[in-house]
């Protein structure tokens, strides 16, 4: 069998050709979209209840939870965390269910980053 070196002048899809570069760019993997979980202020939910929610469902310590609760109280809303779609959806459902069961009007939503 006779071997022949690959020449730049060869008009095919050999290594380094335009075709092979385009193929590589097309197959780059994308990072999954992330979602912000937002807590909204209202006039009725007790501050201690919001702090409890932040500790229980978002793994925050008491000081962090109190700080975020105060930000929501003063500014109207705050981002509590950023998660994958499934995790964000679960957190929102947990907060909404827990608040409703305790008859508080606390609202929690998610938004694509
Ligand atoms: N504004 C509420 C109050 O004065 C406290 C509160 C904070 C409610 C954060 C909701 O997401 C919230 N009792």
């Amino acid at each position: 069998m006779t071997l022949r070196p690959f020449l730049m002048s060869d008009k095919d899809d050999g290594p380094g050709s335009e075709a092979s570069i385009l193929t590589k760019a097309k197959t780059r993997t994308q990072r999954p979209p992330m979602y912000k979980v937002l807590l909204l202020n209202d006039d009725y939910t007790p501050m201690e209840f919001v702090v409890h929610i932040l500790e229980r469902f978002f793994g925050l310590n008491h000081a962090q939870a109190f700080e975020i609760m105060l930000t929501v109280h003063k500014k109207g809303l705050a981002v509590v965390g950023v998660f994958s779609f499934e995790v964000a959806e679960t957190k929102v459902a947990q907060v909404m269910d827990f608040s409703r069961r305790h008859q508080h009007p606390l609202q929690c939503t998610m938004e694509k980053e």
Side-chain angles (χ1 to χ4, degrees), residues 15-85:
S17 75
E18 197 180 342
S20 70
I21 290 163
L22 286 174
T23 302
K24 206 193 251 172
K26 240 165 110 181
T27 55
R28 283 273 147 86
T29 51
Q30 305 222 342
R31 278 180 298 174
M34 298 295 274
Y35 291 79
K36 296 184 278 195
V37 171
L38 305 158
L39 203 58
L40 309 186
N41 189 35
D42 66 72
D43 293 338
Y44 307 102
T45 306
M47 290 185 172
E48 317 83 71
F49 184 81
V50 178
V51 171
H52 178 74
I53 289 250
L54 293 169
E55 291 172 342
R56 181 173 177 141
F57 298 118
F58 296 92
L60 301 179
N61 67 37
H62 193 77
Q64 295 168 328
F66 196 86
E67 195 178 322
I68 291 183
M69 180 281 296
L70 264 193
T71 301
V72 178
H73 177 70
K74 290 186 203 159
K75 307 245 165 128
L77 84 180
V79 175
V80 177
V82 180
F83 309 97
S84 68
F85 181 85

